[in-house]
Amino acid sequence: MRTEQNLTRLDRVFARLDREPERPAHIDVPRMSRHRVALFSATLAFYLAIVWLVVTTSWLVRLDWQVMFFRPYQQWSEIHWFVDYYVVLGQRGPTAVMICAWLGWRSWRQHTLRPLLTLGASLLLLNITVGAAKIGMGRLGPHYATTIGSNEMGLGGDIFPSGHTANAVVTWGILAYLASTPRARRWLSALSAVTSLGVGLATVYLGTHWLSDVVLGWAAGLLILLALPWCEPLIARTEAWIFTLRDRRRARRAGTTPAPAPVPVPVAVPLKQRSPAGRQDETATAAREAAVRPSRAPVYLAPGPHTARGERASITPVGSRRPTHADRLPHGPNAPTTPAGRPLTGG
């Protein structure tokens, strides 16, 4: 009869992760260095500058209209089929599935949940920041523009910044962020930058976005990648919390209870460390206990009444080496007046 426990697929995954509880030593977690802070500040200033140029209907808005009237999808119609497929690299659903599959394999190999948790944190930041900017600015796209030369802001649209471009920057840039070596990080960073810019230009070619939408979407995605080191402590705590829940689930299924916490042993405080008030309290307590406690004889005295020394019977020690003398007379009131073993004198 087999008594082995049937493991579920989730248990096997966690068992694989438990084979090496510590992540490999050559994998480093990016930190928020001064260089990264400077890049984040510069990208944020660039982001705000693009928004200001569009809000004030500056030269950037005029460039948007010129590109729209150029109609790239009519100028180069022979590549339209390729652009239709290429723009899928910026759609959130397909790219999230592909990147999640790759990072799941990375988690399996590196015995850590950090790659998947980092992807989840980046997508959450992407939905919050880019989604809020889209709804807040409400810009209409080229196909729904109402007035030539206007910025089309605040009219209920949702295309500024470009979600395709920002999603391409984040989903493909996360591979560079999680790279194991600096060389791989450089190559993947360049590849993700080219891919995301290509996705943005593909949306301009199809006429679904203004050129300024693409530029702002690229900056929005880069801001998320640069801010990820600030999320690393939360990612580490989340990973520890998940494994704690896993351990509790296993203990509940096995029917075991956690070991009780050890009872702390009281430590006596040395007399020299006690205060004078404490010494007086201890002295008064000892006096009260001595008054209530009944007096008893010391342990080295036998219990019961004691006889006087003269009333005790003389006991010769057993095995004494002292020889017996026949000429010795017994002492006491019952002793004979004339010893039997000594000759009488006189006659």
Side-chain angles (χ1 to χ4, degrees), residues 208-253:
T208 57
H209 278 287
W210 304 100
L211 182 61
S212 57
D213 297 344
V214 173
V215 177
L216 191 67
W218 190 85
L222 185 58
L223 283 175
I224 294 173
L225 290 179
L226 292 174
L228 276 180
W230 280 327
C231 302
E232 287 293 344
L234 180 60
I235 292 173
R237 287 195 297 267
T238 304
E239 182 181 9
W241 177 72
I242 291 175
F243 280 109
T244 301
L245 291 181
R246 186 275 315 269
D247 295 338
R248 292 177 182 175
R249 177 175 172 269
R250 284 184 175 179
R252 195 182 305 112
R253 289 181 57 185

Side-chain angles (χ1 to χ4, degrees), residues 275-333:
S275 60
R279 299 176 195 168
Q280 294 176 3
D281 295 341
E282 293 178 1
T283 305
T285 304
R288 286 195 300 268
E289 292 179 356
V292 175
R293 190 186 306 116
S295 61
R296 59 180 181 179
V299 294
Y300 55 83
L301 295 180
H306 298 274
T307 57
R309 185 178 181 84
E311 299 176 359
R312 299 176 189 174
S314 59
I315 301 175
T316 304
V318 180
S320 175
R321 295 182 180 181
R322 186 174 181 178
T324 57
H325 297 277
D327 56 346
R328 289 190 176 183
L329 296 177
H331 299 280

Side-chain angles (χ1 to χ4, degrees), residues 189-215:
S189 297
L191 181 61
S192 62
V194 172
T195 303
S196 58
L197 286 177
V199 169
L201 294 178
T203 60
V204 174
Y205 171 87
L206 296 174
T208 57
H209 278 287
W210 304 100
L211 182 61
S212 57
D213 297 344
V214 173
V215 177

Side-chain angles (χ1 to χ4, degrees), residues 64-65 67-76 80 83-84 87 140-145 159 162 164 199-211 213-214:
D64 289 338
W65 282 97
V67 173
M68 193 271 289
F69 285 134
F70 182 71
R71 291 180 174 84
Y73 59 90
Q74 293 181 354
Q75 300 293 332
W76 302 292
H80 198 289
V83 177
D84 283 338
V87 80
L140 292 177
H143 291 322
Y144 303 96
I159 55 97
S162 172
H164 275 70
V199 169
L201 294 178
T203 60
V204 174
Y205 171 87
L206 296 174
T208 57
H209 278 287
W210 304 100
L211 182 61
D213 297 344
V214 173

Side-chain angles (χ1 to χ4, degrees), residues 20 85 125 196 198 281 299 326 344:
E20 188 178 347
Y85 287 105
L125 290 175
S196 58
D281 295 341
V299 294
L344 300 177

